[in-house]
Amino acid sequence: MNTEKNTRDSKKESPKGVEKRKITPRKNNRNRSHNNKGRGRGRNHTNKVNHRNTKTHNKQPIPEIQGNDVRVIPIGGVEQVGQNMNIIETKDDIFVVDIGIQFSSEEETPGVDYIIPNIKYLLERKDKIRGVFVTHGHLDHIGAFPYIIDQLGYPTVYCGLLTKWMIDKRNAEFPHLKSLNYEIVEAGQRITVGPNNMKVKIFAVTHSIPDAIGFSFETTEGNIILAGDTKLEHVDTEPVQREKDAYGKLERDDQKNLLFLSDSTGAEQMGWSKNEADIIENIIDMIGEAKGRVFLGTFASQIVRITAIMEGAHAHGKKIVLEGRSMKTNVDICIKSGRWVPPKGLIISADEAQNHAPDKLVYLLTGSQGEEFAALMRISTRKHPKIKFTDRDTVILSSSVIPGNAKSVRKLKDNLARNDLRIVEYQTSEIHASGHGKQDELLWIEKTVGAKFFMPVHGHLSMLKAHMHAVMDKNGVAKENIIIPENGSIIDLNKDGFKVHKAKAPNNVTVVEGFRVGDIQDVVVRDRKTLTKEGIFVVIATIDPKTGKMRKSPDIISRGFVYLRDSQELIQGARNLVKQSITKNTKGKNPVDFDTIKKRISDDLGRYLVQNTGKRPIIIPVVLGV
Amino acid sequence: MNTEKNTRDSKKESPKGVEKRKITPRKNNRNRSHNNKGRGRGRNHTNKVNHRNTKTHNKQPIPEIQGNDVRVIPIGGVEQVGQNMNIIETKDDIFVVDIGIQFSSEEETPGVDYIIPNIKYLLERKDKIRGVFVTHGHLDHIGAFPYIIDQLGYPTVYCGLLTKWMIDKRNAEFPHLKSLNYEIVEAGQRITVGPNNMKVKIFAVTHSIPDAIGFSFETTEGNIILAGDTKLEHVDTEPVQREKDAYGKLERDDQKNLLFLSDSTGAEQMGWSKNEADIIENIIDMIGEAKGRVFLGTFASQIVRITAIMEGAHAHGKKIVLEGRSMKTNVDICIKSGRWVPPKGLIISADEAQNHAPDKLVYLLTGSQGEEFAALMRISTRKHPKIKFTDRDTVILSSSVIPGNAKSVRKLKDNLARNDLRIVEYQTSEIHASGHGKQDELLWIEKTVGAKFFMPVHGHLSMLKAHMHAVMDKNGVAKENIIIPENGSIIDLNKDGFKVHKAKAPNNVTVVEGFRVGDIQDVVVRDRKTLTKEGIFVVIATIDPKTGKMRKSPDIISRGFVYLRDSQELIQGARNLVKQSITKNTKGKNPVDFDTIKKRISDDLGRYLVQNTGKRPIIIPVVLGV
């Protein structure tokens, strides 16, 4: 590495026109009012509800790109894990890197399937898009393709071979989509893209799926480098030559590396991650020594591990049974794409397994996160039609517990424990390593790339900051040369410096929910959170609109609040209360004022219910004049 | 330890009358039907919902205790962490050990506040209760006192001094309770309880709260030993003399240790836990070196740590500010009970802190789990009226992440990161240790106690099994001498063996929810889970009961389903569908059949909504004849 080219003394190269970004606490002032008639006391507890990260719409106009400046916008993936999408833009061209989803959390966004990148900025500049570049085939980098690629007008997709197959598989469930126009690239290539001949260098990175690559966009101002998700293969913390070659040769002869966007997922963890090769060896050893069947639960996305273990099992004379749809599909893709050729007769069906001795059988299964309908859980609860556990089986859970899954993994383990088999876990045995490098790996990568400016991406703010502090404290990068972005931040760079604009690309949270794709509907999400804790209470009264006289006793419907059958007294009390409320508020009034009646019912009922139950359900009074 | 007395060769001492317990997968057949009119398609998705661990009521009659047999029943705490309660019963006496709550999970039991032990067995034998013995003052051991102690008829409570104060604090919010009758006990004592003179030996155990004790009930058949929550103080894995004395001297001269019930919370973790003293030293060092304010977030229940840190801060000439109700209350209890005397002038208010230099201030706060309204979160989001973070502050998160809290802790860390301060976490620094011993500690304790039979308690099944396997593999205990119980298991022991009865003590899940205490209401919980994902859709039609003619266009109310304002077309379609459905199903029918109409509306509407939105809300058709 030529250190002269990469001087990072911030005092010498103090970037001009840099505006220090002020990070202020998020505001939640998008208090969208809605058709709230008769909501009543039910509202009171909405202030107990956790507002989600919805953004205020930025009213600042988005500035034009000046001269040869390069614009970088992390559309998603810098305030969360997932939803990854970055934009690299020049005056004439736009290059999109990755189109990923974020899995929704039942706790934060109940009822939402996925969160996807907001592409409003791209749609307004659709003609400039020269291609979509995909680092690898995991859902947090390709999962939003089916919701977005059509709107983007099907630009050419640049990616590795396996990545193409993964995208096609993802899109296959959306029959309205046209087939994509791919350009398959390989590490080491330097390709030319678009009418303005952007040179893009492709380099290999280590991740848990084959064909993972990084891109270096060689702009006139310098290289913009994105490595995707990365870890390092190393021998006792010395990266192997392949890694040195990949990250050490990213410069063009006449230009510098201007900006490096680097994965922060593992930045909060100290040291080096375990080598995937060691993990695989440990698991294959266990398989070799097993006297009974081995059930290996792992992420279907761990394609490097899965294929290597199958080969290891083969070497031990064992047969493989695949269980779980995504496991079968991903192995199928590896084979069909030609990325992996299975030894003949290695993979057998669950039925065929009955003809083999238990110590010759290895099952690869989905469900190590305790997913209710995945293979591992169904076998453990004896709901699987073909596979039953015995006390001579060994279950290897070759995966970590993803945040938010602690309870479901605990449930799985309890169910497995009921089968009296042996459980091997990653906490006690070296049988899982993340595909994301830990802090010391990330530091080595940053140092080796040696770009002038540094932008941690892929992670929550606390991960980005941990990455920033590490790069400052241990690699000596000046704070002024580090950019901590938010989703939608617009950063314009040239060789002299960078500017983070006040204006942001549209960044409202965009969700997929059933068949709907669009803005998150705060009010609906808020109602769901209330419904789950307090329930709903609907009261229906029919009155003569002229006299206000009730035509019949009010109907009461409730769900998720109390068990009605055990609460006859409470319900009767509520009914009487409603009758009194209506009588009082219609007396002497002609015509009766429905809004007032409803409001009063809500208030009276809310008070009555909380006093008698301690709960504050959503109350909906319906008063019909018939 | 006299090994002759503790022969554990299972072949020699094969217990008579022992029935091997069969552990079968839990059944969920408590399919309580309920007032389900008009539930319709909404039901279809209930099979997607995770049924909770509700039990079938055991119809087996509960057998009488034979001769001098001792009965042990873990009422709670052996299928979960929390809800701890054990019963020790002889022909004439009952002794209750601990009355704890389990915190409810929004994911598994939404809307539920706590889960508490089922005391039906005790209520039917109330006259036999000779006392409640409490190991220590944490909520999972005392939290259910206010819901239970009154029904038990206020038996004498045997516990340590601080434990008494913690129970009284807990009960203070329930003014209907009488004051309790305590007998304060101390480690080393051997007390006599009840008309039949049960001897109970008290021994000291190490946990994260002072006055933690274990009990040895010296029955005629041998000692039943319960240690509560335990870890060991050790020097390089050599327990200190105090621990050797406590566990090594539990025998009576003429009798053996018959059964040991041992904490399993840490059984899945290998090795030894860190010494609390080392943790405290590390934190005090950080406090000593800090150039700015230090904010220490920890569990208010970590009373040993909290008081020690306050003294350490004092030694460094610093002042303490307490923030958060439970933190203030627990320190207050320590002081009032006389368990701790604070150095004069050490504790100051947030207002007084403004008169001190930042490097002289240490804040002890609640909220290290990311609790929304706790001190740490409110300061981090700048909602705290008196305390604002600056970039010179250090926040030490001296706690682990409790399973289920990963997302809220992440949120807290992101909010802290926005304040640009330094965050120190337990993953990267030795600033937290659990109060529960890891596997090697538990093995040492088991070996030192050396009881004939062993019963792992306090934990999920997978923890109990991990504990069992460790004790078998490493301490050489025979599997036949280990009892893996379920909540409500009835185990009768004598010096020759034990029997686990088929009958169980009533063990329906008992919940506290608002003001209600009682059985869990599966149907309500199930509805809550559906409501949170899919929402509710209520349609109200008024028809002439004779002609079936609609009196007005149907009303539609929906919550948590779709944003109605954006869905006018969908709603209009639903309205038309309902009209058609009613017309079709009332035509030529006099009188009209309301049940059929509602059923058809549900079916038609369910199909329509799922086809148009991909969502399956709970549908409630209301058809009024007026």
Side-chain angles (χ1 to χ4, degrees), chain A residues 190-240:
Chain A
R190 185 156 169 262
I191 57 173
T192 306
V193 179
N196 303 302
N197 298 316
M198 173 64 76
K199 296 280 186 292
V200 186
K201 195 164 176 178
I202 321 291
F203 58 103
V205 305
T206 303
H207 191 42
S208 48
I209 183 168
D211 290 353
I213 52 181
F215 302 102
S216 175
F217 292 86
E218 301 182 343
T219 77
T220 52
E221 296 298 302
N223 302 333
I224 309 291
I225 300 165
L226 305 96
D229 290 349
T230 50
K231 67 180 294 187
L232 290 173
E233 194 186 334
H234 60 95
V235 179
D236 296 333
T237 75
E238 175 74 18
V240 300

Side-chain angles (χ1 to χ4, degrees), chain A residues 26 50 111 268 410-411 413-414 417-418 420 462 465 515 527-528 557 559-561 613 615 622, chain B residues 26 39 50 111 268 410-411 413-414 417-418 420 462 465 515 527-528 557 559-561 613 615:
Chain A
R26 189 80 35 74
N50 238 331
E268 289 175 319
R410 169 62 59 198
K411 206 169 183 178
K413 281 171 60 184
D414 281 352
R418 263 184 212 105
D420 251 337
S462 54
K465 288 255 174 136
F515 303 148
D527 279 349
R528 285 181 192 147
I557 291 160
R559 287 288 185 276
F561 168 51
T613 67
K615 297 228 149 214
V622 181
Chain B
R26 190 81 35 74
R39 197 80 182 291
N50 239 331
E268 289 175 319
R410 168 62 60 200
K411 204 169 185 178
K413 282 171 59 184
D414 282 352
R418 265 185 210 105
D420 251 338
S462 53
K465 288 255 175 138
F515 303 148
D527 279 348
R528 285 180 192 150
I557 290 159
R559 286 290 184 277
F561 168 51
T613 66
K615 296 230 149 212

Side-chain angles (χ1 to χ4, degrees), chain A residues 128-142:
Chain A
K128 283 179 74 178
I129 301 175
R130 307 295 172 227
V132 176
F133 295 73
V134 187
T135 56
H136 64 283
H138 283 160
L139 288 175
D140 54 339
H141 293 255
I142 66 162

Side-chain angles (χ1 to χ4, degrees), chain B residues 336-375:
Chain B
K336 284 202 176 131
S337 69
R339 274 319 254 110
W340 184 65
V341 181
K344 219 180 156 187
L346 172 64
I347 302 172
I348 61 174
S349 70
D351 284 330
E352 290 167 330
Q354 294 173 359
N355 305 324
H356 295 268
D359 66 343
K360 296 290 175 216
L361 292 171
V362 176
Y363 292 73
L364 294 184
L365 321 95
T366 54
S368 55
Q369 296 299 301
E371 298 93 331
E372 194 181 354
F373 297 107

Side-chain angles (χ1 to χ4, degrees), chain A residues 81 264-268 456 458-468, chain B residues 410 414:
Chain A
V81 171
S264 308
T265 315
E268 289 175 319
H458 301 175
H460 294 268
L461 177 61
S462 54
M463 295 171 176
L464 309 191
K465 288 255 174 136
H467 204 169
M468 173 185 85
Chain B
R410 168 62 60 200
D414 282 352

Side-chain angles (χ1 to χ4, degrees), chain B residues 244-308:
Chain B
K244 290 179 185 172
D245 291 345
Y247 293 100
K249 294 178 178 171
L250 289 174
E251 298 174 55
R252 275 174 65 187
D253 296 336
D254 55 341
Q255 286 184 336
K256 290 178 191 169
N257 293 336
L258 185 66
L259 174 70
F260 180 38
L261 289 81
S262 178
D263 179 15
S264 307
T265 315
E268 289 175 319
Q269 293 162 52
M270 303 293 118
W272 291 71
S273 69
K274 288 171 225 149
N275 274 323
E276 182 63 26
D278 298 338
I279 298 301
I280 290 169
E281 199 183 311
N282 290 346
I283 295 173
I284 293 174
D285 285 350
M286 284 185 195
I287 288 173
E289 289 160 14
K291 301 274 174 274
R293 297 184 299 179
V294 173
F295 292 79
L296 186 93
T298 194
F299 301 113
S301 59
Q302 288 276 1
I303 291 183
V304 171
R305 186 177 306 167
I306 291 166
T307 51

